[in-house]
mmCIF file of all heavy atoms in Angstrom:
data_model
loop_
_atom_site.group_PDB
_atom_site.id
_atom_site.type_symbol
_atom_site.label_atom_id
_atom_site.label_comp_id
_atom_site.label_asym_id
_atom_site.label_seq_id
_atom_site.Cartn_x
_atom_site.Cartn_y
_atom_site.Cartn_z
ATOM 1 N N PRO A 125 21.018 -10.248 -32.431
ATOM 2 C CA PRO A 125 19.979 -9.222 -32.375
ATOM 3 C C PRO A 125 18.613 -9.847 -32.123
ATOM 4 O O PRO A 125 18.184 -10.746 -32.856
ATOM 5 C CB PRO A 125 20.041 -8.588 -33.756
ATOM 6 C CG PRO A 125 21.443 -8.799 -34.206
ATOM 7 C CD PRO A 125 21.858 -10.112 -33.631
ATOM 8 N N ARG A 238 0.371 1.905 -45.405
ATOM 9 C CA ARG A 238 1.572 2.293 -46.143
ATOM 10 C C ARG A 238 1.376 2.168 -47.654
ATOM 11 O O ARG A 238 1.995 2.902 -48.435
ATOM 12 C CB ARG A 238 2.703 1.374 -45.689
ATOM 13 C CG ARG A 238 4.033 1.813 -46.147
ATOM 14 C CD ARG A 238 5.026 0.740 -45.811
ATOM 15 N NE ARG A 238 6.247 0.976 -46.541
ATOM 16 C CZ ARG A 238 7.175 0.084 -46.715
ATOM 17 N NH1 ARG A 238 7.020 -1.125 -46.217
ATOM 18 N NH2 ARG A 238 8.262 0.355 -47.395
ATOM 19 N N SER A 248 -1.877 5.294 -41.664
ATOM 20 C CA SER A 248 -0.667 4.860 -40.960
ATOM 21 C C SER A 248 -0.380 5.715 -39.739
ATOM 22 O O SER A 248 0.269 5.260 -38.803
ATOM 23 C CB SER A 248 0.549 4.929 -41.894
ATOM 24 O OG SER A 248 0.478 3.936 -42.863
ATOM 25 N N VAL A 249 -0.854 6.965 -39.776
ATOM 26 C CA VAL A 249 -0.499 7.895 -38.695
ATOM 27 C C VAL A 249 -1.230 7.550 -37.400
ATOM 28 O O VAL A 249 -0.614 7.468 -36.339
ATOM 29 C CB VAL A 249 -0.779 9.358 -39.125
ATOM 30 C CG1 VAL A 249 -0.635 10.300 -37.943
ATOM 31 C CG2 VAL A 249 0.183 9.770 -40.238
ATOM 32 N N GLY A 252 0.008 4.631 -35.294
ATOM 33 C CA GLY A 252 1.325 4.978 -34.764
ATOM 34 C C GLY A 252 1.214 5.845 -33.528
ATOM 35 O O GLY A 252 1.934 5.655 -32.548
ATOM 36 N N GLU A 267 9.344 4.852 -14.831
ATOM 37 C CA GLU A 267 10.145 5.833 -14.091
ATOM 38 C C GLU A 267 9.601 6.020 -12.684
ATOM 39 O O GLU A 267 10.366 6.091 -11.713
ATOM 40 C CB GLU A 267 10.154 7.172 -14.826
ATOM 41 C CG GLU A 267 10.956 7.112 -16.107
ATOM 42 C CD GLU A 267 11.626 8.428 -16.431
ATOM 43 O OE1 GLU A 267 11.113 9.473 -15.988
ATOM 44 O OE2 GLU A 267 12.643 8.394 -17.130
ATOM 45 N N TRP B 161 7.741 3.748 -37.905
ATOM 46 C CA TRP B 161 6.650 4.721 -38.020
ATOM 47 C C TRP B 161 7.211 6.129 -38.181
ATOM 48 O O TRP B 161 6.731 6.908 -38.994
ATOM 49 C CB TRP B 161 5.748 4.639 -36.787
ATOM 50 C CG TRP B 161 4.532 5.511 -36.863
ATOM 51 C CD1 TRP B 161 3.440 5.317 -37.656
ATOM 52 C CD2 TRP B 161 4.309 6.722 -36.153
ATOM 53 N NE1 TRP B 161 2.544 6.325 -37.463
ATOM 54 C CE2 TRP B 161 3.044 7.204 -36.545
ATOM 55 C CE3 TRP B 161 5.043 7.447 -35.201
ATOM 56 C CZ2 TRP B 161 2.498 8.385 -36.032
ATOM 57 C CZ3 TRP B 161 4.496 8.606 -34.694
ATOM 58 C CH2 TRP B 161 3.236 9.068 -35.109
ATOM 59 N N ARG B 219 19.228 10.335 -22.446
ATOM 60 C CA ARG B 219 18.714 9.876 -21.156
ATOM 61 C C ARG B 219 19.798 9.220 -20.317
ATOM 62 O O ARG B 219 19.886 9.438 -19.113
ATOM 63 C CB ARG B 219 17.543 8.906 -21.370
ATOM 64 C CG ARG B 219 16.367 9.560 -22.044
ATOM 65 C CD ARG B 219 15.188 8.635 -22.132
ATOM 66 N NE ARG B 219 14.539 8.450 -20.846
ATOM 67 C CZ ARG B 219 13.808 9.367 -20.257
ATOM 68 N NH1 ARG B 219 13.640 10.530 -20.829
ATOM 69 N NH2 ARG B 219 13.247 9.121 -19.106
ATOM 70 N N ALA B 269 23.574 -4.598 -31.070
ATOM 71 C CA ALA B 269 22.699 -5.698 -31.467
ATOM 72 C C ALA B 269 21.314 -5.165 -31.813
ATOM 73 O O ALA B 269 20.722 -5.554 -32.824
ATOM 74 C CB ALA B 269 22.594 -6.735 -30.353
ATOM 75 N N SER B 280 13.430 -1.638 -44.702
ATOM 76 C CA SER B 280 12.221 -2.010 -45.422
ATOM 77 C C SER B 280 11.413 -0.758 -45.781
ATOM 78 O O SER B 280 10.870 -0.656 -46.879
ATOM 79 C CB SER B 280 11.406 -2.976 -44.566
ATOM 80 O OG SER B 280 10.041 -2.778 -44.747
ATOM 81 N N ILE B 281 11.344 0.223 -44.858
ATOM 82 C CA ILE B 281 10.619 1.466 -45.119
ATOM 83 C C ILE B 281 11.246 2.228 -46.281
ATOM 84 O O ILE B 281 10.550 2.721 -47.174
ATOM 85 C CB ILE B 281 10.663 2.378 -43.864
ATOM 86 C CG1 ILE B 281 9.825 1.816 -42.758
ATOM 87 C CG2 ILE B 281 10.219 3.785 -44.202
ATOM 88 C CD1 ILE B 281 8.379 2.003 -42.966
ATOM 89 N N ARG B 338 36.013 -11.879 -14.415
ATOM 90 C CA ARG B 338 34.860 -11.608 -15.278
ATOM 91 C C ARG B 338 33.757 -10.910 -14.509
ATOM 92 O O ARG B 338 33.447 -11.291 -13.390
ATOM 93 C CB ARG B 338 34.296 -12.915 -15.808
ATOM 94 C CG ARG B 338 34.848 -13.331 -17.140
ATOM 95 C CD ARG B 338 33.951 -14.398 -17.720
ATOM 96 N NE ARG B 338 32.582 -13.904 -17.803
ATOM 97 C CZ ARG B 338 32.140 -13.187 -18.820
ATOM 98 N NH1 ARG B 338 32.930 -12.885 -19.811
ATOM 99 N NH2 ARG B 338 30.896 -12.772 -18.861
#
Side-chain angles (χ1 to χ4, degrees):
Chain A
R238 191 188 165 197
S248 289
V249 171
E267 290 212 334
Chain B
W161 185 72
R219 297 185 74 73
S280 145
I281 290 284
R338 267 196 56 85

